[in-house]
Amino acid sequence: GGGSSSGSSSDGAPAASAATTTTAEKYSDGGYHKHLDPVLIDESSGGVLGCKHYARGCKYLAKCCSKWYTCRLCHDDECDHTMPRHDTEFMFCMLCQKVGAFGHRCQHCSTPLARYCCMLCKFHDSTPKKRIFHCQKCRICRVGKRSDFFHCDRCGCCLAVSLREHTCVERSLESDCPVCGDFLATSVAPITFMPCHHAIHAECLRLYSQRDYTCPVCSHSISDMSQAWAYLDALVQSEPMPAAFANAKCSILCNDCVQVSNDVAFHFHGHACQHCGSYNVKVTATTGMPTDEDLRRLHEEAAAAATAAAAAADDADSGDG
């Protein structure tokens, strides 16, 4: 973010010399501004000029609040509004410490301020090994090689070429990523679609799928669960429920095929959809469940059986001795 000192107003913006002075008159001359000191990110970055978000050798003048920030994300972290990036007109060179018009190079020292510069998005970046391209239809710069993406007009975004054969959902990107909360339509991170057609960042899906198998929006399964369902089928068959649950039934709603199954035998390990076999279901109602007295008796029988088994084990041990 930007700093303030003498020569700046109480809100951190450079003070105007006169009430009639325009922004262009204040900053187009490239004057030296001591209150705009070069900024280095932490040592782990190798001392590269920039901020925690981007490596670049300049700051931008936010037109919305007339304050200097190294990037729009630094601005948005500090302010209660978003920075209109496309309106950026002036930048501060961290090398010669002069202000000039936005561009790839400083208009005073002629130094390139980043390896990549987009005049449309008003964006610089020199992050090592980072490939960036601008999509005219998305109107934003995206991370990756242009050849690895295509723009889907109906979905309204760039998608990986591996998703050419996908089910289009009109304006599906006009929502937040269900994991990180970033607005997908303007996100520069790669986007993918789950089997239920909900959009999500590809990296967010990779991390999320390590701990959950259902869509965070609709609970539809996001991967092939056939082996898991076969395992649960075998487990349910091999472990019958106690006699107290002989008449216990339930109604379930399947999150995968969205069908209702009634009179499904209640089981602790789960309930299979009668239509598609999925165990990704919600129990909506139960009947014939044991009473509290039945459960108390069941617990007593289980405790007695455990006690008897322990005693038998002790007798066996003593006999061996």
Side-chain angles (χ1 to χ4, degrees):
S4 65
S5 64
S6 59
S8 63
S9 62
S10 59
D11 62 359
S17 58
T20 57
T21 302
T22 65
T23 301
E25 290 170 338
K26 282 190 293 182
Y27 300 116
S28 61
D29 62 353
Y32 182 84
H33 294 271
K34 291 184 178 180
H35 65 283
L36 293 177
D37 295 325
V39 175
L40 296 177
I41 50 179
D42 56 38
E43 294 179 357
S44 62
S45 68
V48 180
L49 289 168
C51 63
K52 65 180 181 180
H53 305 107
Y54 300 108
R56 58 179 54 152
C58 59
K59 288 187 177 186
Y60 302 150
L61 180 65
K63 200 168 185 178
C64 51
C65 52
S66 296
K67 293 182 180 180
W68 293 91
Y69 293 93
T70 311
C71 78
R72 65 178 181 86
L73 299 177
C74 289
H75 169 279
D76 295 350
D77 288 344
E78 182 177 310
C79 303
D80 59 359
H81 58 279
T82 58
M83 177 176 167
R85 70 168 90 179
H86 298 94
D87 295 338
T88 303
E89 297 178 358
F90 301 100
M91 63 182 188
F92 167 76
C93 176
M94 294 181 180
L95 302 175
C96 70
Q97 298 193 5
K98 292 184 179 180
V99 175
F102 183 93
H104 185 195
R105 296 174 178 268
C106 171
Q107 69 183 70
H108 304 286
C109 65
S110 299
T111 304
L113 298 177
R115 179 175 55 84
Y116 176 88
C117 175
C118 179
M119 296 299 293
L120 298 175
C121 291
K122 304 299 177 67
F123 173 74
H124 294 84
D125 194 14
S126 284
T127 302
K129 300 181 181 180
K130 187 177 181 180
R131 301 293 294 271
I132 309 171
F133 70 96
H134 180 85
C135 176
Q136 294 283 3
K137 293 183 177 180
C138 290
R139 296 187 68 244
I140 61 172
C141 292
R142 294 199 176 278
V143 177
K145 295 173 60 178
R146 185 185 298 274
S147 59
D148 292 339
F149 294 85
F150 73 100
H151 185 91
C152 176
D153 291 327
R154 186 175 180 189
C155 292
C157 70
C158 286
L159 300 173
V161 292
S162 60
L163 295 174
R164 282 194 181 277
E165 300 299 325
H166 69 282
T167 301
C168 291
V169 180
E170 192 170 355
R171 303 174 70 180
S172 62
L173 274 295
E174 295 184 9
S175 60
D176 296 335
C177 172
V179 174
C180 71
D182 285 351
F183 190 55
L184 291 171
T186 56
S187 174
V188 297
I191 295 169
T192 189
F193 291 92
M194 293 175 281
C196 53
H197 311 311
H198 284 119
I200 187 173
H201 286 132
E203 180 64 9
C204 289
L205 177 60
R206 186 187 70 82
L207 296 174
Y208 174 80
S209 60
Q210 294 176 4
R211 59 182 175 84
D212 208 321
Y213 68 92
T214 63
C215 169
V217 178
C218 67
S219 296
H220 191 284
S221 296
I222 58 177
S223 58
D224 181 6
M225 299 297 295
S226 56
Q227 290 186 343
W229 302 159
Y231 171 78
L232 286 174
D233 280 338
L235 192 62
V236 169
Q237 291 296 322
S238 64
E239 297 186 12
M241 291 291 286
F245 289 85
N247 298 319
K249 305 289 183 181
C250 62
S251 295
I252 58 175
L253 173 63
C254 180
N255 290 319
D256 289 336
C257 69
V258 200
Q259 296 291 318
V260 174
S261 300
N262 295 313
D263 296 326
V264 178
F266 183 86
H267 201 286
F268 293 145
H269 290 308
H271 312 92
C273 172
Q274 296 173 342
H275 305 278
C276 69
S278 170
Y279 278 80
N280 179 13
V281 301
K282 297 176 182 177
V283 176
T284 58
T286 57
T287 59
M289 297 294 285
T291 64
D292 290 343
E293 178 61 25
D294 293 333
L295 293 176
R296 184 188 63 77
R297 186 165 53 251
L298 180 65
H299 290 160
E300 290 176 350
E301 292 173 354
T307 300
D314 290 341
D315 291 340
D317 291 340
S318 61
D320 292 340

